[in-house]
Amino acid sequence: MANWETVVVNTDLLICGGGFSACGAATEAAYWAKKKGLKVTLVDKAAVDRSGAVAMGLSAINQYVGIRDGENTAEDYIRYVRSDLMGISREDLVYNIARHVDSTVHLFEKWGLKIWKDEAGKYVHEGRWQLMINGESYKVIIAEAAKNAIAAAGGEIFERVFIVDPLMDGNKCVGAVGFSTRENKFYVFKAKAVIAGMGGAVHVFRPRSVGEGFGRSWYPPFNSGSSAYFTIKAGAEMTCQEVRFIPVRFKDAYGPVGAWFLLFKSRAISATGGDYMVVRKAELENWKPYGLVKPIPANLRNYLGMLDTEQGLGPLYMETDEAIKNIAAQFKDDPKAFKKKMKELESEAWEDFLDMTISQAILWAAQNVKPEEKHSEIAACEPYFIGSHSGASGAWVSGPEDLPTPYKWGYANMTTAEALFAVGDGSGASSHKFSSGSHAEGRIAGKAAIKYIVEKGKEPKVDMAEVEKLKAKILLPLDLWEKHSKETTDPEINTNYMVPRQFLHRLQKIMDEYAGGVISGFKTSKALCERGIELMALLKEDSAKMAARNHHELMRVWENNQRVYQAEAHIRSILFREETRWPGYYFRADKPKMDDKNWKCFVNCQYDSKTGQWKMMKKDIWTMPGV
Ligand SMILES: Cc1cc2nc3c(=O)[nH]c(=O)nc-3n(C[C@H](O)[C@H](O)[C@H](O)COP(=O)(O)OP(=O)(O)OC[C@H]3O[C@@H](n4cnc5c(N)ncnc54)[C@H](O)[C@@H]3O)c2cc1C
């Protein structure tokens, strides 16, 4: 085995991940931990200042309810999420986040985030729930608050340490193991409670960007299903694993469309000029009641555009020129004011990309796009797992203590594995929390985890013999490389191993062709899912043959292994749910209709690490009384 030092870290609360939800958890938990003399430790595979989905910055805070100004209520938010997810949401969780999210946003502002204000001093909304921000440094600001809180409470932060597996004592999570992506160090974190906040997953499906563009995707490439893997391997019940997210974005550089649709009120059209939201309105009747709700659920909006492309009416375009002209038209009688407004709109259009998807600005420049003169192509991306956004996959967590929810077995956001909490993309069926809601959820879980430690926390019992086995398994790819890489003239072609990229291509091919990726028009069926599961079993067998030539590739190996579990949970859940509920995200071609009678329920699954078997189950939907 590679000769790496084993570093043991003892803590009370371990926070895995350093993104938005983890920073929320750290800020809140450290506050309570300091009062109780407890230690909080945060571990991120990257550098917290620029890690996770918000690394590059964002141009809007997507969840702000506006309760103090009477703009909306938390109940309104429940209704919005219920419709957008076609009836499938944990209303207790959605409510809990919605009632706390505004205070989180106010903290962001206090910490220095610039939120746009109008002349009356009110927040500028992009849409009903979204606030415009100067967000290039959004993550840095939120990370600073978390780091300060941990430092003030005497905690520790480990950066560039990749968390692999949970440590279990029966059904209780007692820590985690991982490795440094820079030094020869294997880490063992022993904890009384653990929070999984390691984001969602990308590159489970083959991306549209292949060849020289490989790696480019809407979802940042850093998150590889670590939250899902961690909670699945801990034996926690998982939910909504079939609910992937497919955004429609500016084509090829995945630039955001929110500002265009919501702020600029732009239309999207087919190549022949038809506005598919208008032309195909009748189709929405087939998906009622959700199809008739405003705003129309994201998957149905996708679906109407997909119907156009399927019938050869693509490419689809965002009418940027028309939108800009419509807004500037208010100033048409004053040429000077008109010119000034046009300039302002043009710079806002570019800034939207420069704030969060710089490559879209580069692509526009490369393709001579002037948004005020010419429309720009949009397309459906490949599928992603992002339960905090418009997907819903994640762990099945305990609801808030003060609500009459039937889903309560412990402390808020605790999974069905004791002492293990999940947040952000890691917790399921509570979509549309976005950056602010993920942070708020992190705060909820951080506080609950400290409460758990104070009331029930015991010294973690960690079996060091098991740890040694895990260390050998995790470092094996380095040994394989060391032993066999000189056997062939091209070290990437070897009968004893494969490199992580080769494995990744195989996984993506299976998912693309059998589980409804881009190549199959997002369609799958019982037979395709079953075949996909057969191929996945062979892939899993071969996973022990991945080799790594350095720290970075070792991380790639474990990212791949983690993706496989996310992939398998996904195919099994699509197979189990015998209907199509989210057209525009995926279609069960053999069950093309929504079946509320049999399938208006959650699909949950649970993995047994000892037997390698999955258990699939239905769970009832609970609706908040009076909402
Ligand atoms: C392209 C895009 C655009 C978005 N736009 C908006 C927007 O405009 N407004 C808005 O409010 N929200 C937006 N969101 C949503 C928002 O970014 C997410 O809701 C939020 O980041 C989720 O928080 P999280 O903590 O679950 O994950 P993340 O913030 O992604 O954090 C995950 C963390 O886990 C770490 N990690 C991953 N694997 C491991 C591992 N194995 N070991 C240790 N650490 C690990 C990562 O380094 C990272 O720090 C957008 C998301 C995307 C992808």
Side-chain angles (χ1 to χ4, degrees):
M1 181 173 54
N3 184 21
W4 282 26
E5 179 192 352
T6 297
V7 181
V8 178
V9 179
N10 293 298
T11 187
D12 293 300
L13 175 62
L14 174 67
I15 301 173
C16 300
F20 254 68
S21 59
C23 283
T27 310
E28 188 76 23
Y31 173 84
W32 297 104
K34 193 175 169 195
K35 288 182 189 292
K36 303 284 175 190
L38 299 173
K39 180 178 170 190
V40 176
T41 301
L42 181 143
V43 186
D44 195 340
K45 76 189 261 193
V48 184
D49 274 353
R50 287 281 178 192
S51 66
V54 191
M56 250 198 292
L58 295 177
S59 55
I61 288 173
N62 278 359
Q63 188 186 6
Y64 182 74
V65 181
I67 294 173
R68 77 175 172 192
D69 292 332
E71 288 168 348
N72 298 290
T73 62
E75 287 80 358
D76 291 332
Y77 209 75
I78 289 182
R79 286 184 207 102
Y80 162 55
V81 179
R82 182 192 291 160
S83 308
D84 202 71
L85 268 292
M86 308 292 280
I88 311 295
S89 66
R90 278 280 302 271
E91 301 194 355
D92 54 336
L93 302 178
V94 172
Y95 181 81
N96 203 21
I97 296 166
R99 66 178 166 172
H100 288 109
V101 71
D102 290 2
S103 75
T104 281
V105 172
H106 301 151
L107 278 176
F108 292 171
E109 197 174 21
K110 193 174 131 200
W111 294 334
L113 180 69
K114 172 93 170 71
I115 306 179
W116 293 13
K117 298 249 176 77
D118 61 17
E119 296 81 26
K122 293 226 171 234
Y123 292 144
V124 173
H125 278 261
E126 186 185 42
R128 182 174 177 186
W129 312 106
Q130 297 84 356
L131 302 181
M132 294 303 291
I133 56 174
N134 283 46
E136 186 278 337
S137 300
Y138 191 14
K139 182 66 206 299
V140 183
I141 292 168
I142 271 59
E144 185 184 39
K147 290 201 279 191
N148 286 346
I150 290 187
E156 264 189 292
I157 296 180
F158 292 84
E159 294 187 325
R160 306 204 186 280
V161 172
F162 186 91
I163 294 288
V164 183
D165 276 294
L167 289 172
M168 302 300 293
D169 172 16
N171 181 44
K172 187 172 166 188
C173 187
V174 290
V177 290
F179 58 89
S180 165
T181 61
R182 291 285 193 273
E183 301 168 294
N184 294 351
K185 286 184 179 169
F186 179 78
Y187 280 93
V188 183
F189 297 98
K190 298 182 182 178
K192 293 177 187 157
V194 179
I195 297 180
M198 294 172 280
V202 62
H203 288 316
V204 173
F205 281 84
R206 178 158 47 200
R208 280 185 184 273
S209 302
V210 292
E212 62 177 358
F214 188 69
R216 180 96 205 107
S217 55
W218 170 79
Y219 193 78
F222 341 114
N223 290 345
S224 56
S226 300
S227 302
Y229 173 89
F230 195 89
T231 43
I232 289 171
K233 286 299 282 290
E237 201 171 315
M238 306 295 288
T239 193
C240 296
Q241 291 299 310
E242 71 280 31
V243 195
R244 57 172 73 174
F245 177 44
I246 298 182
V248 166
R249 292 293 181 266
F250 284 99
K251 190 163 178 296
D252 294 333
Y254 303 88
V257 295
W260 286 100
F261 279 133
L262 299 172
L263 196 69
F264 296 133
K265 310 284 180 230
S266 180
R267 296 185 313 139
I269 59 156
S270 72
T272 50
D275 177 342
Y276 52 77
M277 296 306 298
V278 177
V279 177
R280 298 195 178 274
K281 198 166 166 219
E283 175 63 29
L284 296 172
E285 286 282 334
N286 295 329
W287 306 95
K288 53 186 190 198
Y290 317 109
L292 304 184
V293 172
K294 290 271 178 290
I296 299 162
N299 65 295
L300 291 178
R301 281 180 271 142
N302 284 1
Y303 180 50
L304 300 190
M306 284 174 188
L307 289 174
D308 267 11
T309 41
E310 271 174 23
Q311 290 181 7
L313 299 178
L316 303 180
Y317 291 103
M318 180 75 82
E319 293 292 88
T320 54
D321 48 337
E322 176 190 82
I324 289 183
K325 281 190 190 98
N326 284 345
I327 301 174
Q330 309 161 39
F331 303 89
K332 65 179 184 322
D333 299 329
D334 179 347
K336 214 170 143 199
F338 180 83
K339 206 170 155 202
K340 190 170 164 233
K341 189 70 190 170
M342 282 296 282
K343 227 37 264 113
E344 192 183 302
L345 290 168
E346 189 197 321
S347 82
E348 272 173 19
W350 286 92
E351 188 191 323
D352 189 43
F353 294 155
L354 293 171
D355 263 356
M356 57 191 283
T357 315
I358 297 159
S359 44
Q360 185 68 56
I362 295 170
L363 189 69
W364 265 11
Q367 295 182 343
N368 301 326
V369 173
K370 291 186 179 163
E372 69 281 16
E373 284 178 9
K374 198 176 152 207
H375 59 198
S376 230
E377 218 182 316
I378 54 172
C381 308
E382 58 279 355
Y384 310 108
F385 299 90
I386 176 164
S388 68
H389 204 288
S390 309
S393 54
W396 182 245
V397 297
S398 190
E401 288 170 39
D402 62 324
L403 290 187
T405 163
Y407 320 118
K408 245 188 322 195
W409 54 86
Y411 296 75
N413 277 76
M414 191 191 277
T415 68
T416 59
E418 196 185 339
L420 175 58
F421 296 73
V423 289
D425 295 328
S427 80
S430 49
S431 322
H432 292 288
K433 40 198 171 188
F434 303 103
S435 60
S436 44
S438 296
H439 194 278
E441 193 186 30
R443 289 174 61 205
I444 292 165
K447 186 173 175 184
I450 294 293
K451 188 163 182 264
Y452 169 83
I453 294 171
V454 170
E455 291 173 357
K456 297 201 175 150
K458 294 210 178 71
E459 276 315 305
K461 270 201 276 167
V462 175
D463 179 350
M464 287 310 279
E466 269 308 305
V467 167
E468 272 310 304
K469 280 191 212 155
L470 281 171
K471 183 177 176 185
K473 179 187 86 168
I474 289 168
L475 301 185
L476 179 70
L478 294 168
D479 303 340
L480 278 177
W481 179 268
E482 194 54 36
K483 191 161 166 211
H484 298 292
S485 62
K486 306 238 167 20
E487 289 168 5
T488 52
T489 49
D490 180 348
E492 294 209 353
I493 313 290
N494 198 297
T495 51
N496 289 296
Y497 63 72
M498 61 183 128
V499 297
R501 191 173 25 78
Q502 292 162 336
F503 183 93
L504 183 64
H505 286 319
R506 233 173 99 185
L507 168 67
Q508 292 184 343
K509 184 168 160 60
I510 295 171
M511 294 305 285
D512 201 29
E513 294 178 359
Y514 297 93
V518 170
I519 203 169
S520 41
F522 311 111
K523 292 189 183 70
T524 182
S525 66
K526 179 173 187 282
L528 281 163
C529 285
E530 285 172 347
R531 180 68 184 135
I533 289 170
E534 280 172 16
L535 292 169
M536 195 67 73
L538 297 175
L539 183 73
K540 266 169 105 174
E541 239 176 81
D542 288 347
S543 64
K545 293 284 179 197
M546 265 186 285
R549 71 192 96 189
N550 51 36
H551 294 83
H552 188 72
E553 273 198 354
L554 189 63
M555 181 176 74
R556 291 284 180 251
V557 168
W558 285 102
E559 286 177 346
N560 281 346
N561 281 322
Q562 297 189 331
R563 285 188 179 102
V564 167
Y565 281 79
Q566 175 62 85
E568 193 173 354
H570 185 54
I571 308 193
R572 286 184 185 277
S573 300
I574 289 184
L575 177 63
F576 186 71
R577 181 182 281 283
E578 296 186 326
E579 64 160 355
T580 294
R581 180 164 292 263
W582 298 276
Y585 290 168
Y586 78 85
F587 311 81
R588 268 283 302 256
D590 53 341
K591 300 276 177 193
K593 295 218 164 84
M594 188 167 70
D595 175 2
D596 254 356
K597 189 162 160 275
N598 294 302
W599 290 101
K600 195 175 174 200
C601 62
F602 298 105
V603 163
N604 284 12
C605 62
Q606 195 167 21
Y607 179 74
D608 182 337
S609 278
K610 288 201 180 73
T611 62
Q613 298 298 307
W614 293 82
K615 189 168 121 196
M616 305 301 304
M617 54 208 128
K618 287 183 176 184
K619 285 279 155 89
D620 291 340
I621 302 282
W622 174 79
T623 44
M624 184 93 164
V627 181

